[in-house]
Amino acid sequence: MLHLPGIGIRHCDGLSRREFLSIGALGLAGLSLADLLRAEAAAGISGSRRAVINIHLDGGPPQHETIDPKPLAPSEIRGEFGSIGTAIPGLHVGELMPRLAQAADRFAFIRTLVGSAGRHDAFQCQSGYSAKDLQSLGGRPAMGSVVSRLYGSPEDVAPAFVDLMQGRPLVRNSARAGFLGPAHTPFRPDLSQLFPRELEPGMKGELNRLGDNHSLSLTLDDSLTVGRLRDRHSLQVALDQVRREIDSSGMMEAMDQFQQQAVGILTSGRLAEALDLNSEDPAVLERFTGPGNPDAELEHYTSEGPRATQKFLLARRLIEAGVRVVSVSISDFDTHSNNFGRMRQLLPIVDHGLVTLVEDLQERGLIDDVAIVVWGEFGRTPKINSKGGRDHWPRVGPCLLAGGRMQTGVVLGTTDRYASEPRSRPVHYKDVFATLYRHLGIDARQITLPDPQGRPQYILDEGEPIAELV
């Protein structure tokens, strides 16, 4: 058995295998990374290198303070903040998002997102399906898992799907491979060492508890800690050590192509390089850091602080490394109390990160190949509660889209005077997914995947690409 010292895998039982990684014995029930790649290759097809960045505002973003303010509504609806005009005539956004206002022509605004299950169900923002669909057919797969199934290849040296949805610590009901099986589970790098100051007490251990029996989390521990990824020399030394042990063991020749790919993903340095923020131009790293003092304790209501926007930079770097779908989260939008205090801290961070990401992709010539979606589980109640908060409101919510050759500078949907109900052009979560799949070259209403009983299942059972955007 071949051991790769220093690389650990964390499972949903919270156990850590920090001493070694055993090729041929990775994961649950003896399932190896080589097995995952073999299963992926057996059904995979080649495709373009288009990608998606899925940004989840964990907890449910308020429509009133973001992209559907109601300045003429009563104060108990309107709230504390005003609205500002944008680069799109007639469109106003909340005053805490001035950069989005200036760059509005680079975004598509959906003010009438419908179909929410009304629960903290991040999975709906990963697949279009609600959590209850996890109970049937082995569970519906997340978009990234579908892309892994269709476009994954044994020649890949980067996983197709990477999940950065961490911060609470792990976003509730996050991405699942469902009936596609563990071959298409997302890779989850351990972000606790990249953003150590922002984690609340006790969160670090919770990062190990992934809410899926098939979930694997690639943690670069001990000789390959994420912290040491900031040190390029240490990173190279650690990777060289792993390669030497493989070569000296004589096992490489005995491995099949899938085992070699498993080693390739873990030792090529591509994934590690993408996570090494120190390899970025310091000016770019600073550009992606949100407003405020990133070293200040308790300055921000978000448990992640302004460094959370560096996850957007990680997403771009991962896509450059060959990843197809990257999921990112920004925490603490569940504002049942003190909504306005929290938004005063949170929204400038999101505003800064979103526009910076779009500008960065455009400058690098990637904006046409990378589609971005920004949303949450639902909107928030029009009426402010007695604690100064807004509660869950599944009837309508906000959504932003950018990149991916989509039409931008577009506003879809109108709501009533309280932003409580759609008045025109409701857009379902599955319509958004149909649009994103189309960007990836996948007709989600025509392509089927076999469930555990061998029955063909359409990727989406309803929903159409948004005609105004494609």
Side-chain angles (χ1 to χ4, degrees):
M1 186 174 288
L2 178 64
H3 301 292
L4 305 184
I7 302 178
I9 298 296
R10 297 181 184 275
H11 302 306
C12 61
D13 58 6
L15 299 177
S16 175
R17 281 65 168 165
R18 292 177 178 271
E19 296 300 321
F20 64 90
L21 168 74
S22 300
I23 296 295
L26 168 63
L28 301 168
L31 184 69
S32 69
L33 179 57
D35 293 330
L36 308 189
L37 297 169
R38 186 181 292 107
E40 181 180 271
I45 61 174
S46 61
S48 73
R49 299 308 305 180
R50 294 187 183 182
V52 170
I53 298 176
N54 188 337
I55 299 173
H56 182 75
L57 303 183
D58 181 34
Q63 62 272 32
H64 301 80
E65 282 73 57
T66 54
I67 66 172
D68 197 13
K70 298 297 183 181
L72 301 181
S75 59
E76 64 269 22
I77 303 292
R78 180 180 69 246
E80 296 181 9
F81 306 125
S83 64
I84 53 177
T86 71
I88 301 175
L91 174 68
H92 283 65
V93 298
E95 66 174 275
L96 298 177
M97 307 191 80
R99 293 199 66 195
L100 177 65
Q102 294 174 356
D105 57 339
R106 300 181 182 183
F107 291 84
F109 295 77
I110 299 175
R111 296 185 295 191
T112 49
L113 183 66
V114 299
S116 169
R119 302 175 56 193
H120 287 300
D121 185 0
F123 184 72
Q124 192 164 19
C125 294
Q126 292 289 304
S127 67
Y129 294 92
S130 65
K132 67 180 181 180
D133 295 303
L134 289 172
Q135 310 304 318
S136 61
L137 307 172
R140 289 284 184 172
M143 178 185 215
S145 297
V146 172
V147 172
S148 172
R149 172 68 162 76
L150 294 178
Y151 287 160
S153 164
E155 286 74 43
D156 291 342
V157 292
F161 182 19
V162 174
D163 182 6
L164 303 178
M165 291 177 66
Q166 301 168 24
R168 294 191 58 91
L170 186 68
V171 172
R172 295 162 284 193
N173 295 318
S174 187
R176 304 289 186 270
F179 64 70
L180 294 182
H184 306 290
T185 297
F187 276 69
R188 288 189 172 108
D190 184 351
L191 301 184
S192 63
Q193 295 180 60
L194 279 173
F195 306 99
R197 296 179 65 87
E198 289 74 34
L199 289 175
E200 295 175 357
M203 277 192 173
K204 195 168 184 179
E206 289 296 320
L207 279 169
N208 306 334
R209 296 179 175 84
L210 309 181
D212 186 303
N213 288 336
H214 300 304
S215 293
L216 305 177
S217 177
L218 179 63
T219 55
L220 306 178
D221 291 326
D222 301 332
S223 64
L224 285 177
T225 60
V226 177
R228 291 186 67 184
L229 290 178
R230 299 179 185 275
D231 184 338
R232 292 172 60 83
H233 176 71
S234 297
L235 172 63
Q236 191 63 54
V237 168
L239 289 173
D240 287 345
Q241 178 184 351
V242 172
R243 292 190 184 97
R244 283 195 300 272
E245 294 208 12
I246 292 172
D247 293 340
S248 64
S249 71
M251 289 292 293
M252 183 62 83
E253 292 182 4
M255 293 180 183
D256 68 13
Q257 61 172 322
F258 302 99
Q259 289 173 314
Q260 291 185 36
Q261 187 201 0
V263 173
I265 286 178
L266 294 168
T267 66
S268 70
R270 207 168 198 182
L271 192 64
E273 176 71 13
L275 291 167
D276 180 11
L277 291 179
N278 198 44
S279 65
E280 260 300 348
D281 182 339
V284 174
L285 188 60
E286 178 65 24
R287 180 183 180 187
F288 269 89
T289 302
N293 179 3
D295 296 315
E297 300 282 356
L298 303 178
E299 182 176 341
H300 300 270
Y301 282 97
T302 175
S303 58
E304 300 166 280
R307 280 202 180 98
T309 52
Q310 291 180 7
K311 289 193 285 186
F312 296 172
L313 175 57
L314 284 178
R316 184 264 284 168
R317 291 173 60 82
L318 286 165
I319 284 170
E320 287 180 319
V323 178
R324 299 298 193 96
V325 177
V326 183
S327 296
V328 182
S329 62
I330 300 294
S331 296
D332 303 322
F333 277 87
D334 196 19
T335 55
H336 293 282
S337 63
N338 196 18
N339 176 77
F340 304 100
R342 289 196 182 192
M343 290 305 105
R344 191 173 281 109
Q345 302 294 337
L346 270 173
L347 287 180
I349 294 172
V350 175
D351 180 57
H352 176 87
L354 291 181
V355 176
T356 300
L357 175 61
V358 169
E359 290 177 345
D360 179 78
L361 290 171
Q362 190 158 13
E363 291 165 5
R364 292 172 180 274
L366 297 173
I367 194 67
D368 285 345
D369 290 331
V370 182
I372 302 167
V373 59
V374 188
W375 50 4
E377 305 96 297
F378 35 66
R380 310 299 298 190
T381 51
K383 188 173 182 179
I384 302 163
N385 65 29
S386 61
K387 296 180 181 179
R390 296 190 190 271
D391 300 312
H392 300 182
W393 193 255
R395 296 181 190 175
V396 68
C399 176
L400 291 167
L401 292 161
R405 295 183 172 87
M406 288 182 284
Q407 295 295 320
T408 56
V410 175
V411 183
L412 295 181
T414 58
T415 59
D416 62 15
R417 62 190 183 125
Y418 294 157
S420 63
E421 301 278 356
R423 283 290 177 257
S424 68
R425 191 59 174 101
V427 176
H428 196 281
Y429 282 86
K430 291 179 182 177
D431 296 325
V432 176
F433 273 105
T435 306
L436 296 174
Y437 276 121
R438 183 183 186 277
H439 162 70
L440 295 169
I442 298 170
D443 187 340
R445 294 293 303 279
Q446 295 298 319
I447 295 177
T448 62
L449 298 170
D451 67 21
Q453 287 74 45
R455 296 171 300 189
Q457 299 291 336
Y458 289 109
I459 296 172
L460 290 175
D461 58 2
E462 58 183 348
E464 297 292 340
I466 302 169
E468 297 91 333
L469 305 185
V470 298

